Amino acid sequence: MKFFENGEGLTEPRGFFCSGVHCDVKGKNDGKNDLGIVYSKKPCSVAGVFTTNDVKAAPVRYCQNLLSDPSAKFHGIVANSGNANACTGDQGDSDSVKMASEVARHLNLHSKEILVCSTGRIGVRLPMSKITSGIRDAATDVKEELDGAMAFQEAILTSDTCTKSCSAKIETSAGEITVGGVVKGAGMIEPNMATMLAFLTTDASVSNPFLQDTLAQAVNRSFNRITIDGDMSTNDSVLLMANGASGLSIEKEPESVRIEFAKAVDAVCACLARKCVCDGEKVTKFVQVRVAGAPDDLAAEKVARAVANSLLVKSSWYGSDPNWGRVVDAAGYAKVGLDIDKLDMHYDEVPALIKGEPVQENKGKWKEIVSGKQFVIVLDLNLGSGACEIWSNDLSEEYVDFNKSE
């Protein structure tokens, strides 16, 4: 597998086109792209994973309803930033339908062949006159097959500081298959995705059920293993489109190719998830929290999340303070039966605790490690074989200032 950290993302696989336009969703008249379309002339199988929040935005419900048909085929996605179309009542549902129907009208498709995603402010109705004008322009660009990959990436951003994309290519005896992806997200990224929209495309031919299973497993190992601030959004969506433009059918290929395809989807999701954490709102550090030796994997996840979401722990990371006491305290209130006399803890490869006793002579090394932009905390509970890794970051004064009002 060949992997590419950046680039065009969604248009790397054959047969996909993107566009991004400014339609002034937030009324700031700042010229920022805030609406885009992903389009394939060939019909696509699509898989989707969405927020588990009880409060789901209108476009999330719209997509879930369409994807409930395992035989459904799609040609595109329309997405806007600046307005989540969440908690907007019946009008919000009507506006999601209108967005799909407008794209379909301009591209000569059926409205049920278009998926809809939104991100931004909650509780504010979409400015539909602006949205429909933007859809007209964005649809014209994809019809003309303009190079709008970067414009689309820009159109989905909110508090992000940069665009995020990657792609993976796998070689088979019959040819090449590509998986591309983009994501937006910098806050509210836990516990199951968050104010995050991720889009993936592939030129392989894949059935809806196989694609859904592949995506669900990849999301569970990536987007569902990150946390920025412990909050969950109303609009989380990950969508994977497969148009078959490569001429290769994954399920007809040898098992080795199916495995490689799953690895490519995993790699794209993992890369995008990491980019989200690294671009967290006003963060300065990327931290990997690894838990081993737990009674089972679920217990390991509870401990890892407790540590990764602790405001005291995250604040100490920001201050470059190797405060292992806060880490141990957070691990303890996960209540998985932790025995301090069995606990080993490391900062990177440097021991901090061995069987619950601090290795004080390493204090200077701990400080050096935690002062870096990236480090690993390893907790070995020595209670079993359960393991989990969560990706997180620090909590800065700037984060509070940034989020104190909207």
Side-chain angles (χ1 to χ4, degrees):
M1 179 174 64
K2 297 178 181 177
F3 194 80
F4 305 90
E5 281 271 349
N6 298 293
E8 295 181 347
L10 297 180
T11 58
E12 296 285 350
R14 284 160 283 192
F16 286 97
F17 303 94
C18 290
S19 62
V21 299
H22 168 68
C23 59
D24 200 27
V25 171
K26 295 184 75 173
K28 291 186 174 182
N29 198 29
D30 54 9
K32 174 190 175 297
N33 287 345
D34 52 11
L35 184 140
I37 292 175
V38 184
Y39 171 64
S40 168
K41 290 181 180 178
K42 293 177 67 68
C44 301
S45 300
V46 174
V49 180
F50 302 92
T51 181
T52 57
N53 197 323
D54 285 346
V55 181
K56 293 177 174 63
V60 170
R61 298 194 302 270
Y62 178 81
C63 288
Q64 288 181 314
N65 181 57
L66 290 180
L67 290 173
S68 64
D69 178 358
S71 64
K73 295 291 183 179
F74 301 88
H75 283 273
I77 302 167
V78 58
N80 74 274
S81 62
N83 188 313
N85 192 15
C87 305
T88 45
D90 292 342
Q91 186 62 51
D93 294 324
S94 297
D95 289 344
S96 290
V97 172
K98 179 68 172 177
M99 288 177 68
S101 64
E102 282 296 294
V103 173
R105 183 169 69 86
H106 289 293
L107 296 178
N108 297 316
L109 300 169
H110 192 287
S111 62
K112 290 186 177 181
E113 296 173 320
I114 302 296
L115 295 161
V116 180
C117 292
S118 299
T119 182
R121 297 167 296 178
I122 292 174
V124 180
R125 289 183 177 177
L126 288 169
M128 288 307 293
S129 61
K130 294 179 179 180
I131 292 286
T132 53
S133 294
I135 286 173
R136 177 198 62 212
D137 295 340
T140 298
D141 288 349
V142 292
K143 279 196 298 187
E144 295 179 358
E145 300 183 2
L146 300 179
D147 185 10
M150 293 307 299
F152 179 85
Q153 291 183 41
E154 293 165 359
I156 61 175
L157 303 183
T158 51
S159 59
D160 308 65
T161 65
C162 60
T163 58
K164 307 170 186 70
S165 64
C166 63
S167 61
K169 295 181 183 294
I170 57 176
E171 296 290 342
T172 76
S173 59
E176 184 180 73
I177 293 171
T178 303
V179 178
V182 303
V183 69
K184 66 78 52 180
M188 298 173 73
I189 303 288
E190 207 276 340
N192 291 297
M193 303 182 299
T195 184
M196 183 197 79
L197 300 181
F199 304 108
L200 286 78
T201 57
T202 181
D203 47 21
S205 176
V206 194
S207 70
N208 283 354
F210 188 94
L211 200 66
Q212 183 65 41
D213 185 59
T214 301
L215 180 64
Q217 291 187 46
V219 167
N220 193 48
R221 289 189 284 257
S222 55
F223 295 118
N224 282 351
R225 291 293 180 268
I226 64 177
T227 176
I228 289 177
D229 49 22
D231 277 322
M232 183 198 297
S233 178
T234 55
N235 291 62
D236 323 346
S237 302
V238 181
L239 295 171
L240 168 55
M241 305 177 70
N243 68 1
S246 66
L248 298 175
S249 174
I250 289 296
E251 288 140 294
K252 294 180 181 178
E253 292 294 315
E255 183 181 5
S256 60
V257 175
R258 296 197 295 273
I259 291 172
E260 281 300 299
F261 176 73
K263 286 182 178 179
V265 176
D266 279 355
V268 169
C269 286
C271 178
L272 296 178
R274 180 173 179 141
K275 285 173 182 277
C276 280
V277 178
C278 291
D279 191 34
E281 289 170 352
K282 310 303 178 183
V283 306
T284 68
K285 300 178 190 294
F286 174 75
V287 185
Q288 295 167 265
V289 180
R290 295 176 184 165
V291 176
D296 51 44
D297 289 348
L298 180 59
E301 182 179 344
K302 287 181 179 179
V303 173
R305 288 196 184 279
V307 172
N309 282 328
S310 166
L311 298 184
L312 283 175
V313 171
K314 292 164 80 72
S315 297
S316 68
W317 292 341
Y318 176 65
S320 299
D321 176 14
N323 195 324
W324 59 263
R326 293 182 179 181
V327 175
V328 171
D329 174 66
Y333 64 62
K335 297 183 179 180
V336 300
L338 185 151
D339 183 343
I340 187 63
D341 294 326
K342 295 181 179 180
L343 179 67
D344 297 333
M345 175 178 165
H346 291 72
Y347 288 106
D348 286 350
E349 302 297 324
V350 178
L353 298 177
I354 298 296
K355 297 297 181 285
E357 293 288 333
V359 187
Q360 292 290 4
E361 60 267 30
N362 289 337
K363 189 173 183 179
K365 294 180 180 178
W366 308 338
K367 176 71 173 179
E368 182 180 348
I369 291 169
V370 179
S371 296
K373 296 291 186 184
Q374 178 176 332
F375 56 90
V376 182
I377 290 178
V378 182
L379 292 167
D380 190 340
L381 279 54
N382 290 299
L383 297 173
S385 59
C388 181
E389 179 171 330
I390 297 290
W391 297 347
S392 189
N393 46 31
D394 59 346
L395 177 66
S396 68
E397 302 159 42
E398 289 81 2
Y399 173 87
V400 176
D401 186 61
F402 182 80
N403 285 287
K404 65 187 179 184
S405 65
E406 185 174 351

